[in-house]
Amino acid sequence: MAVTTSSTEPRPAREPGGGPPATDAAGLGRRRALLFVAPALLLVALFLVVPALWTLYLGATDYRLTGVPAVDPGFVGTGNLTHALGDGGFWSSLRLTLLFVLGSAVIGQSGLGFALAWWLRDRRGPLRVLLEALVMLAWILPSSVVAFLWIAFLDRDGGTLDTLLHTPGTAWLIDHPMLSIVVFNVWRGTAFSMMLYGAALGNVPRSHLETARLAGAGGLRQLWDVVLPRVRGHVVTNLLLISLWTFNDFTPFLITAGGPDHRSETLPVFIYNTALGGGRLGYGAAVSFLMLLVNLVVAVVYLRLPGRRAQGGGALDGPSRKRRAGAEEEVSA
């Protein structure tokens, strides 16, 4: 006796015009899917691709805001790039930018954000709510408002910091311009790192920390051998994002405008002063291209970090590993 079976699975949709069946999960087909993403692709092309190509074109010309080059710019090829690589102002701005990123993003925001997240992980109550609200407030305030507050805070004539430290007349923005904008950026951007690390620490199983504690590991050992390997991906992601944001941050211009004597002129401020302040749009566009290359190098370096094994991380080694194994047997018993 023959047994017949009928399949109840839906047949895949076919492409318009009798083409082969669609292979995507939604059954839309390639053409319909392209129609859905077409508006987003158009916006990306309009606001990202076209300006990028226009910047490359300007960087190959001597275009200026005034004079004959403003009407009839000449093609200079790689002349602007060669001039930038020999410009002491460019290298000084690049050095200050790397110092700004290292001090305010890598050490300041990431370190302080992790410390706050670690300290708040087990705490509840109004103190935690108040601290999180203050950190978040610094992050969500507009840049112009924040800049005005810090100018008033660091003012040499009746500034809040001079009043607190009893140092009247100290001009922090003139005597210590880089330190001022580094501390400002740490205060402003720590909230993102704190929230990201707080979410990452919440995913660390408490049983792992308890096992490490029973194995004789102290607080720092638990942090190094148990916590950091679990949140390593979050650390790299956070460092990548805040480093790129800080590298391209223009907010220091609102506080020091790159002064005094270019001592706080980071690369975005240098490009602004060159292209708009000095009217050399072609040269400024070429420096922007070099800045893009530096961003790509920074991103590639960070993206390669997760593929490397953490030195000394991931597990307790030596006697600590044996003690942990014995502790796990006791807990299971």
Side-chain angles (χ1 to χ4, degrees):
M1 180 177 180
V3 179
T4 60
T5 59
S6 60
S7 175
T8 59
E9 296 181 358
R11 295 181 179 181
R14 302 186 69 85
E15 288 277 2
T23 57
D24 57 287
L28 293 174
R30 182 175 300 175
R31 297 180 182 177
R32 293 191 181 94
L34 286 176
L35 290 177
F36 274 96
V37 300
L41 293 178
L42 180 61
L43 292 176
V44 170
L46 183 62
F47 292 103
L48 292 180
V49 178
V50 173
L53 295 177
W54 179 248
T55 301
L56 291 177
Y57 164 74
L58 285 181
T61 67
D62 60 351
Y63 189 83
R64 300 180 65 96
L65 288 178
T66 59
V68 176
V71 180
D72 185 20
F75 184 78
V76 297
T78 60
N80 286 326
L81 295 176
T82 304
H83 178 64
L85 294 177
D87 187 356
F90 166 75
W91 290 108
S92 176
S93 297
L94 180 59
R95 179 183 61 84
L96 291 175
T97 305
L98 295 177
L99 179 63
F100 182 51
V101 172
L102 178 64
S104 66
V106 178
I107 298 177
Q109 294 181 27
S110 184
L112 181 59
F114 188 89
L116 289 174
W118 180 261
W119 185 72
L120 292 173
R121 72 190 190 282
D122 294 327
R123 284 172 171 77
R124 300 292 184 271
L127 178 60
R128 172 172 181 167
V129 175
L130 177 61
L131 182 59
E132 289 180 341
L134 291 176
V135 176
M136 285 295 298
L137 182 63
W139 191 43
I140 64 177
L141 283 175
S143 300
S144 57
V145 176
V146 173
F148 176 79
L149 292 175
W150 272 80
I151 290 174
F153 180 73
L154 300 174
D155 186 43
R156 67 189 306 174
D157 298 323
T160 306
L161 183 60
D162 283 342
T163 302
L164 293 175
L165 299 180
H166 303 288
T167 55
T170 302
W172 297 96
L173 295 177
I174 298 177
D175 299 335
H176 311 283
M178 278 303 299
L179 178 61
S180 299
I181 63 175
V182 165
V183 174
F184 152 78
N185 200 51
V186 171
W187 173 83
R188 187 183 178 217
T190 300
F192 178 82
S193 298
M194 184 189 71
M195 292 188 300
L196 191 147
Y197 288 144
L201 293 175
N203 293 327
V204 177
R206 294 186 177 275
S207 59
H208 292 188
L209 294 174
E210 184 64 20
T211 301
R213 187 184 66 81
L214 293 176
L220 292 178
R221 194 65 177 176
Q222 295 176 32
L223 180 64
W224 181 257
D225 286 325
V226 180
V227 177
L228 289 182
R230 300 279 302 188
V231 303
R232 182 175 54 183
H234 297 80
V235 172
V236 174
T237 300
N238 178 68
L239 287 175
L240 172 62
L241 293 176
I242 64 177
S243 295
L244 294 180
W245 290 342
T246 304
F247 195 94
N248 299 279
D249 190 15
F250 187 70
T251 309
F253 178 84
L254 301 177
I255 299 179
T256 62
D261 195 23
H262 308 285
R263 289 165 53 196
S264 63
E265 190 176 54
T266 57
L267 205 50
V269 179
F270 174 78
I271 294 173
Y272 174 83
N273 290 334
T274 301
L276 298 180
R280 303 162 63 190
L281 284 179
Y283 182 65
V287 177
S288 299
F289 176 72
L290 294 177
M291 183 176 175
L292 173 63
L293 294 181
V294 176
N295 276 273
L296 291 177
V297 171
V298 173
V300 169
V301 170
Y302 276 128
L303 291 176
R304 289 180 62 87
L305 291 180
R308 301 178 180 178
R309 297 181 61 87
Q311 299 295 328
L316 295 169
D317 53 327
S320 298
R321 185 182 301 173
K322 296 178 181 180
R323 291 197 302 268
R324 187 181 67 174
E328 289 177 344
E329 293 178 0
E330 293 178 3
V331 172
S332 60

